[in-house]
Amino acid sequence: MKSSQVLLIALVCAALGAALGAYVARREVTAASTPAAPSSTQAPQPPARIDAATSPEYLVLGNERISFESLRQRASRDPAFLQSLLQRYRNERDLAARGELLSLLNAVSGDEVLRFALSLAASTRPEDERDGLELLRAYSMDRPEVRQTLLAKLERGGDPQRMGELVAMLTPATMPSEDAAPVVAELAALARHPDPNLRAQAVLQLAQWDDGEQVEDLLHRAILDSSAEVRAKAIAGVQGSGIRSDRLKEALLAIAADPEASAADRGAATFALQEFRLNRAEYGIWRRAQAQSDEEGGEGR
């Protein structure tokens, strides 16, 4: 190995070790203009939601540009370095830098990051709670502490939009039925919530968690809901869950054949009916509804 390469590696390692005092920020591969600072009347914007598609290609630590993947690998195997990143997040006030740190921590995952995420989620500071919940997205619902944190927040109630975001985090996972039961019970309760958007989100999630009689009943009720969004989510829930019953089929056939129903409802019901066994008369209803849906689709193009 050339001496210049050895020197470069040494400099990179030194920069990594100095993470506590380094400024962490995203850099685009191509140069970009710096956005204007928000006016005093504008509220600061939260970091973008964390996902693999928005993770930066590299971060800057001190004067060194280090690949995101290199940082992730070191933080995964070096507990001291990971702790330095956690401390850096605690002290950082720049929203862009906090967003990059969260993206890196989310990619690292692990028990230490989980404990940190849970502590943030329990914070009374809205921004910390939000970031903690974003980190928790990296963890499966089979982790009791993650599941219980989300359920506790839902049980406290509050803003329906925020509750809908919590419901969306309840992604089904393989676990004992006794552990899943509290999630199913909470979603069943929220499927009757007065707010239609929250009700719709709960119906869709519930259909993924359980296929019992209770869920079939809720799906049937939701298909007949006054809210178009709830009806759409209920039909999607029927499609995705594999739950089949005569009364679900009858409700879908009624929508598909109803000239007063919206084109969206009739189209969704017609599509869902493809998964049901249909007798000759029911098949005739489905064929007419399918032809009407195809005609409306052609007119819309």
Side-chain angles (χ1 to χ4, degrees):
M1 182 180 294
K2 296 180 180 179
S3 59
S4 59
Q5 292 177 312
V6 173
L7 178 58
L8 177 58
I9 293 173
L11 289 173
V12 170
C13 291
L16 286 168
L20 271 174
Y23 176 79
V24 181
R26 181 174 179 175
R27 296 292 186 272
E28 300 297 340
V29 175
T30 57
S33 59
T34 303
S39 68
S40 58
T41 59
Q42 293 176 313
Q45 297 300 306
R49 175 164 292 179
I50 302 166
D51 59 55
T54 59
S55 294
E57 292 187 23
Y58 61 86
L59 276 66
V60 173
L61 297 179
N63 295 321
E64 293 293 336
R65 188 172 72 178
I66 313 299
S67 78
F68 185 91
E69 180 59 19
S70 295
L71 292 171
R72 186 197 67 77
Q73 289 183 14
R74 179 172 181 188
S76 297
R77 67 174 183 267
D78 184 344
F81 182 61
L82 176 57
Q83 284 299 320
S84 75
L85 293 175
L86 296 176
Q87 186 60 46
R88 176 63 188 174
Y89 170 86
R90 294 185 184 98
N91 296 333
E92 185 58 69
R93 289 295 170 262
D94 180 84
L95 290 178
R98 284 168 69 92
E100 296 305 335
L101 284 165
L102 281 175
S103 183
L104 180 57
L105 293 173
N106 181 73
V108 173
S109 189
D111 289 343
E112 190 65 31
V113 175
L114 174 57
R115 285 190 287 272
F116 181 63
L118 291 170
S119 69
L120 287 177
S123 173
T124 57
R125 285 166 46 91
E127 59 269 33
D128 284 346
E129 181 193 33
R130 180 197 64 232
D131 290 348
L133 291 173
E134 286 293 342
L135 284 174
L136 288 180
R137 291 178 186 275
Y139 297 89
S140 170
M141 286 299 110
D142 65 359
R143 301 291 296 255
E145 55 271 68
V146 177
R147 199 167 60 248
Q148 291 162 9
T149 293
L150 297 179
L151 288 177
K153 290 182 180 297
L154 284 169
E155 289 167 3
R156 286 198 290 270
D159 175 59
Q161 181 177 347
R162 176 181 176 277
M163 292 178 69
E165 293 170 354
L166 293 171
V167 167
M169 292 178 64
L170 294 173
T171 305
T174 302
M175 67 182 74
S177 58
E178 295 88 344
D179 294 340
V183 179
V184 172
E186 182 64 26
L187 289 173
L190 292 174
R192 296 179 171 88
H193 195 278
D195 183 83
N197 295 325
L198 178 54
R199 195 161 70 244
Q201 187 66 49
V203 165
L204 182 60
Q205 286 291 69
L206 182 60
Q208 300 178 67
W209 274 91
D210 192 27
D211 59 0
E213 182 177 338
Q214 174 185 227
V215 180
E216 190 274 345
D217 182 64
L218 285 167
L219 283 173
H220 181 257
R221 181 184 293 111
I223 288 174
L224 306 176
D225 198 279
S226 60
S227 165
E229 183 175 4
V230 175
R231 293 195 300 271
K233 289 294 196 299
I235 294 173
V238 172
Q239 290 176 254
S241 67
I243 298 174
R244 304 289 179 262
S245 72
D246 286 342
R247 67 173 183 166
L248 287 177
K249 178 172 66 174
E250 290 168 4
L252 292 170
L253 284 167
I255 293 173
D258 183 3
E260 299 299 320
S262 70
D265 281 357
R266 283 188 282 110
T270 301
F271 187 79
L273 282 166
Q274 295 178 98
E275 303 299 323
F276 285 79
R277 289 183 178 273
L278 304 175
N279 61 32
R280 193 176 302 278
E282 293 165 344
Y283 179 76
I285 295 172
W286 178 83
R287 286 291 297 174
R288 289 190 292 274
Q290 181 65 53
Q292 179 67 25
S293 180
D294 290 344
E295 181 180 334
E296 291 171 342
E299 291 174 355
R301 288 195 290 270

